[in-house]
Amino acid sequence: MRAKKAVAVAAAALMAASAVGALAGCGGDPEHTIEILLLANNNETAFYREYFKEMEETLLEETGVKYKINFRGQQEGPYKDQLGSAVQRDSLPDIFYLRPNEILQYKDKIANLQSYADGAGAEYADLSDVHETALNMYRFNPQTGTLGNPEDDLYAFPKDLSSQQLGYNRKQVEKYQTYIKEAGLKLPWEMDWETETYTWNEYLTMCKTIADHAESGTYAACDVPSIEILAHSFGGELIDLSEGRTNGKINSLTEGAVQQAIEYQARLIDCGAADYKRATYSNFSAGRVCFYGLVGSWEIGEYNNNPSLGKGNWEVMPWPTVDGGTEWAGTITSAGYVVSKKCASMAKGDIAKRIAISFMSSYTQNKLVRDSQISLPLLKSWEEDYKSSENDSVYSPASRGVYLDVISGKHGFFPAEYSTYDSVWIDQFNTPLEVMWNEGKGKALAKYNSTDWAATQSTMQQYYDRTKNN
């Protein structure tokens, strides 16, 4: 009954769209043009271009109307600039990308998608098979200004759940395996991540061993973990969310945990002497770096297709822990697609919603995960197939179960920046690492110790208050 009702609702909406289109004329008319702006790397952009061409054909077959999808994919900086400019001009795209906390910034400019998901949208995606974690990240209550409550409405359709994990280049590490073994350490591919991790001290020893034996001028670097990852491991949290997301305060434990984190970062930076090169995305993807801490699950295809790295030469692993146990943690991230409120009020509104919700369908998830390798399974029914070692020829890396352990919640946590209207306040925590690279540990610790935490709390509170006042 629900499926028949969904088809009827969808048909009515499409007939309405067709009627308006007939009156306004086809071609470049706004009612038949869907403007889409997404944050996307090169591999994702190539996928989207093909996908939206296919979607144009699908919509023509379903409706008899020729819809034009204008897609733009941008990297982080240009994306923010273009979206900000669109806000200033009051000309937001019909569909665009938001992180969970950004729902708070755009809440007055985007459509509530819950009724569509329960009605016509049910024809295109089975929400009961979608990870609740992904859906809940985009549930918003405009009355309370809070995010994440399962009973509230969806304001975005998640494309994925993701993680940025610690990764390693096997070819690079193999160059130093004799020295690593002499230091009393297992090699990463000898570790059983189900029962053990490296300790932070062991990771430091690993990095120092590599730096001590690296050829002059090489990029044999080990990445320095973020303050948030380290603080979490050391038993502290940047903010206290005991009263729920978007209603927190800087945690009283933070200062000690962050101080420990900065001290550890300094030890890692200092262990490599003059030839110790900094790990970056470009250096890791070019096959130069031993360990890199921001190996995003959406970049699997890019790493596999990069001739300097390539499939089978890189893996992901748990972050180290204090004691080498299994209580490690990685951050859960996500991409959500919203529909502008202006678009939703037009006859093409349901077409835009149809496109946005399609990313949760089993068909599209298959294309994203299997064919294009730019996503992890968003659907619960798919995880066993994805994780099985019998499918190593289909999916990668071989250690992809580490990614799943994060997004399933077993080892995952939300980054602090996902909890407030704007993440500007968190810069106070991240700045010391940049200072340390450029000016040394002493300056970084001095900067941290001179931070006015009361002022930082006040800044964060201002962003909380915006969720209710804007």
Side-chain angles (χ1 to χ4, degrees), residues 47-59 61-62 122-126 129-130 159 354-379 381-382 395:
F47 166 81
Y48 287 131
R49 291 197 186 286
E50 289 300 315
Y51 183 72
F52 290 133
K53 284 181 183 178
E54 181 181 315
M55 179 60 74
E56 287 178 341
E57 295 173 0
T58 299
L59 291 173
E61 291 176 3
E62 290 180 355
E123 179 74 11
Y124 308 111
D126 178 8
D129 194 27
V130 176
K159 181 205 75 166
R354 153 92 168 88
I355 295 170
I357 203 171
S358 74
F359 284 94
M360 293 190 290
S361 71
S362 58
Y363 171 77
T364 309
Q365 285 293 306
N366 185 73
K367 293 177 72 68
L368 286 165
V369 179
R370 183 171 181 143
D371 297 345
S372 299
Q373 300 179 333
I374 56 177
S375 189
L376 301 176
L378 186 65
L379 307 181
S381 59
W382 198 354
Y395 308 116

Side-chain angles (χ1 to χ4, degrees), residues 104-121:
L104 301 172
Q105 297 182 45
Y106 290 88
K107 64 183 187 333
D108 296 327
K109 301 180 183 298
I110 59 177
N112 183 328
L113 301 176
Q114 190 64 52
S115 61
Y116 179 80
D118 291 337

Side-chain angles (χ1 to χ4, degrees), residues 132-270:
E132 290 86 354
T133 299
L135 296 170
N136 291 344
M137 291 174 86
Y138 298 99
R139 294 192 184 279
F140 174 64
N141 186 324
Q143 280 69 49
T144 61
T146 56
L147 282 165
N149 298 315
E151 64 273 14
D152 290 332
D153 289 348
L154 278 171
Y155 276 71
F157 291 138
K159 181 205 75 166
D160 62 28
L161 280 173
S162 305
S163 179
Q164 284 184 307
Q165 259 321 110
L166 179 59
Y168 67 90
N169 179 328
R170 179 162 179 156
K171 281 188 174 181
Q172 284 291 337
V173 176
E174 281 178 340
K175 294 179 181 180
Y176 308 97
Q177 60 183 332
T178 299
Y179 307 112
I180 293 169
K181 299 285 277 188
E182 288 175 350
L185 299 175
K186 289 183 180 180
L187 299 166
W189 50 91
E190 296 175 332
M191 298 285 282
D192 178 4
W193 303 128
E194 294 292 328
T195 61
E196 61 185 338
T197 59
Y198 290 116
T199 67
W200 287 112
N201 284 336
E202 286 173 336
Y203 181 67
L204 179 65
T205 298
M206 177 92 72
C207 295
K208 187 177 189 310
T209 299
I210 291 170
D212 286 347
H213 294 91
E215 295 179 5
S216 178
T218 65
Y219 287 79
C222 294
D223 203 5
V224 178
S226 72
I227 284 178
E228 186 164 21
I229 287 289
L230 285 165
H232 194 93
S233 181
F234 295 154
E237 304 287 352
L238 296 192
I239 55 177
D240 176 2
L241 295 176
S242 59
E243 297 182 21
R245 285 176 65 201
T246 68
N247 190 24
K249 61 183 179 181
I250 293 177
N251 200 315
S252 60
L253 297 175
T254 292
E255 296 179 40
V258 174
Q259 186 109 22
Q260 281 183 277
I262 292 178
E263 290 281 5
Y264 184 81
Q265 289 175 330
R267 292 173 68 194
L268 270 175
I269 292 173
D270 290 347

